[in-house]
Amino acid sequence: MPAPAKQRLVETALTLFHQEGFHATGIDRVLAVARVSKMTLYKYFKSKDDLILAVLDLRDQRFRDWLDTRTQALADTPSGRLLAVFDALGEWFDDPNFHGCLFINAAAEYGLPTERIHQSAARHKQLVLEWLTELARQAPVNDPTALAWDLTLIMEGAIVARHTSDQPQAAARAKDLAKRVLKLFAL
């Protein structure tokens, strides 16, 4: 179990980085809000980048667990779960603490594919794609890999549309599009 100070630091950084951005949030602000010293920070993390990576790891696990749990609660068949993804996204988008996708934001702020933070963001997206691919394999569809890619593109587009354009119907419209795509792949 992580030390309370370390956990508080990561939780605080997650909130601040998500609300304010990675570059815009200085380490002194994180330390002040978390109520930990710089010495404590460096006890657990060599740099701000290492803290960001810990934040992304935590968010990755939480998001994927939430998405899997939520889609299972919303639908009882693999095909239903593929569409329930968009219902879950709609719930997320309606949360007053929605500030877009932390991983899309990380990839934008750390744009070089060689940067560790960018790679961490890409790894999260790959894991979500793999999860969708597995769901598609369980559904009666042709080419589950292609379907998962198409649904991922729709999902990512909905996230960006909701965040950048404040489109309240982004998830519902994405679900309608996903239904049409799913029909193209149905056996």
Side-chain angles (χ1 to χ4, degrees):
M1 177 168 217
K6 180 181 181 184
Q7 187 65 29
R8 191 169 63 247
L9 186 58
V10 174
E11 294 282 354
T12 300
L14 171 59
T15 300
L16 293 173
F17 292 152
H18 205 182
Q19 290 175 351
E20 301 171 9
F22 297 99
H23 293 308
T25 305
I27 205 66
D28 289 336
R29 173 146 166 71
V30 174
L31 296 174
V33 175
R35 298 178 329 276
V36 299
S37 68
K38 203 169 265 192
M39 196 163 121
T40 301
L41 168 72
Y42 291 115
K43 175 180 175 183
Y44 298 110
F45 304 102
K46 293 179 183 176
S47 65
K48 181 180 177 183
D49 283 2
D50 287 336
L51 175 60
I52 292 170
L53 291 168
V55 163
L56 292 175
D57 285 346
L58 177 63
R59 179 63 181 154
D60 166 63
Q61 193 59 55
R62 284 184 179 170
F63 182 82
R64 290 185 302 111
D65 287 349
W66 168 80
L67 187 60
D68 186 57
T69 300
R70 201 63 204 116
T71 57
Q72 285 183 45
L74 292 167
D76 55 4
T77 66
S79 295
R81 287 182 66 205
L82 287 168
L83 294 175
V85 165
F86 299 94
D87 297 321
L89 289 180
E91 293 172 5
W92 179 36
F93 297 169
D94 289 341
D95 185 320
N97 293 315
F98 176 76
H99 298 285
C101 172
L102 190 64
F103 301 95
I104 292 171
N105 298 346
E109 286 195 49
Y110 295 86
L112 297 176
T114 55
E115 293 180 283
R116 293 183 309 150
I117 293 167
H118 187 97
Q119 292 168 353
S120 180
R123 187 170 40 257
H124 165 77
K125 295 301 182 181
Q126 180 62 37
L127 290 170
V128 172
L129 172 63
E130 289 171 9
W131 176 79
L132 281 170
T133 302
E134 183 54 36
L135 269 183
R137 283 189 182 115
Q138 296 169 23
V141 298
N142 292 310
D143 201 350
T145 302
L147 173 60
W149 263 108
D150 288 356
L151 294 178
T152 298
L153 291 172
I154 296 167
M155 183 176 156
E156 296 300 328
I159 293 167
V160 171
R162 179 63 175 109
H163 185 223
T164 61
S165 305
D166 194 29
Q167 296 293 322
Q169 297 301 313
R173 296 203 53 190
K175 184 177 181 179
D176 288 343
L177 181 56
K179 285 178 186 176
R180 292 194 296 266
V181 169
L182 191 56
K183 283 181 185 177
L184 296 174
F185 285 90
L187 291 175

